[in-house]
Amino acid sequence: MSRDDRAEAGAVEALPMLRWLRLLVTSLAAVMGLGIIAIVALLWLRLSEAPLPQLPEGFVLPEGATPAALTFARDWIVVVTEGGEVLVFDRQGRLRQTVTP
């Protein structure tokens, strides 16, 4: 009862499948690497954009108003104060409307 040390018949047939599996794993690693490079490039491009628009020179908040949020639109600028008041200014910095809670 000696054991045959030669390769089993099934192992020789499995070698092409192992090559295919190795090719798939290598391809997956390459695609993942390219994906990470693409994500880093997109983040770098988006985060290196110009800063937010500047307020007009004549832009003055009413007395005692502390800004909590600022929104730029095409024709107006909206400031929400810490007290919840909404101030709508035009692009020249003139107060157009005030909305109180």
Side-chain angles (χ1 to χ4, degrees), residues 67-97:
L70 184 66
T71 302
F72 292 92
R74 287 189 184 124
D75 299 330
W76 40 269
I77 299 169
V78 177
V79 178
V80 179
T81 64
E82 298 227 349
E85 190 176 27
V86 179
L87 307 172
V88 181
F89 293 88
D90 63 6
R91 279 291 180 179
Q92 288 72 38
R94 294 185 301 261
L95 182 63
R96 292 288 184 193
Q97 185 179 0

